[in-house]
Amino acid sequence: MWAQVQESRAKVVLAEAEVPLAIAEAFRTGKLGLLDYYELNNVQADTKMRSAIAGEGAVAAGRN
């Protein structure tokens, strides 16, 4: 079971590494604008703040 957990975490890390590449490609192709990018960051920050208020701050910040 521990090996499956580690394998799943590795897959998540690999998927997270693709996000900046996808954002850069979206900027290059014109599918994502600067204001859209700022709005996305604002939503992520708001979600992180709400998680911290709800007492899930350690999980939201990536600390277990």
Side-chain angles (χ1 to χ4, degrees):
M1 188 59 117
W2 181 251
Q4 287 178 335
V5 170
Q6 291 299 93
E7 182 180 350
S8 295
R9 286 183 181 167
K11 287 180 182 179
V12 168
V13 169
L14 290 173
E16 287 176 343
E18 293 179 15
V19 172
L21 299 174
I23 290 173
E25 181 63 25
F27 274 130
R28 277 194 292 277
T29 60
K31 294 181 180 179
L32 182 69
L34 189 59
L35 292 177
D36 297 326
Y37 178 73
Y38 281 126
E39 184 176 345
L40 175 66
N41 281 343
N42 190 22
V43 168
Q44 289 174 336
D46 187 50
T47 302
K48 195 180 285 188
M49 176 195 68
R50 290 173 189 262
S51 294
I53 290 171
E56 302 167 4
V59 174
R63 290 177 255 133
N64 291 329

